[in-house]
Amino acid sequence: MNALGGFVGHLTLRLGAARPNLVRQRAPGLDRLFVGRPAAGLPDTVAALYSLCGHAHRLAARLAIAAARGEPAMPDEAERRALRWHTAREQVRRLVMHWPTVLGRK
């Protein structure tokens, strides 16, 4: 069992299958982590759980909460810039981490 107590989903790529060939199965019971918690803290929890593009998950959760409250749910220009910057940074980090292996230089 992992640190999240078994909250593990699956992502399956079906090679050669017609698109969409990526199948995602969410972790069962993950919603229990959010029940009874203040909405203000949920975006940070989501970002921690989904560390791949955590910044995008945080923003999406914040916008979803705003929409549920009937508030404007569009990112402002500063949020769009931050999202682009974080995404670019993550892409560069992944290239630096994975290219040595791809190039045969572990």
Side-chain angles (χ1 to χ4, degrees):
M1 183 143 326
N2 64 25
L4 291 175
F7 293 120
V8 178
H10 300 279
L11 193 60
T12 305
L13 176 61
R14 296 179 298 170
L15 296 175
R19 291 185 182 199
N21 60 351
L22 193 59
V23 179
R24 179 182 57 170
Q25 180 182 352
R26 292 184 184 266
L30 195 58
D31 56 333
R32 291 181 300 189
L33 294 174
F34 304 104
V35 175
R37 292 183 177 224
L42 296 180
D44 289 334
T45 302
V46 169
L49 286 172
Y50 299 103
S51 60
L52 180 62
C53 297
H55 54 281
H57 285 91
R58 179 181 289 111
L59 177 59
R62 190 193 65 69
L63 295 175
I65 292 167
R69 291 178 172 160
E71 300 169 357
M74 290 298 293
D76 61 23
E77 185 55 35
E79 288 173 319
R80 285 189 198 105
R81 265 195 313 272
L83 183 62
R84 286 190 298 266
W85 185 86
H86 283 290
T87 301
R89 182 183 71 172
E90 188 160 313
Q91 294 299 322
V92 169
R93 183 175 58 113
R94 293 198 179 282
L95 285 172
V96 169
M97 287 173 51
H98 296 289
W99 272 24
T101 303
V102 171
L103 296 174
R105 299 180 192 141
K106 298 179 185 182

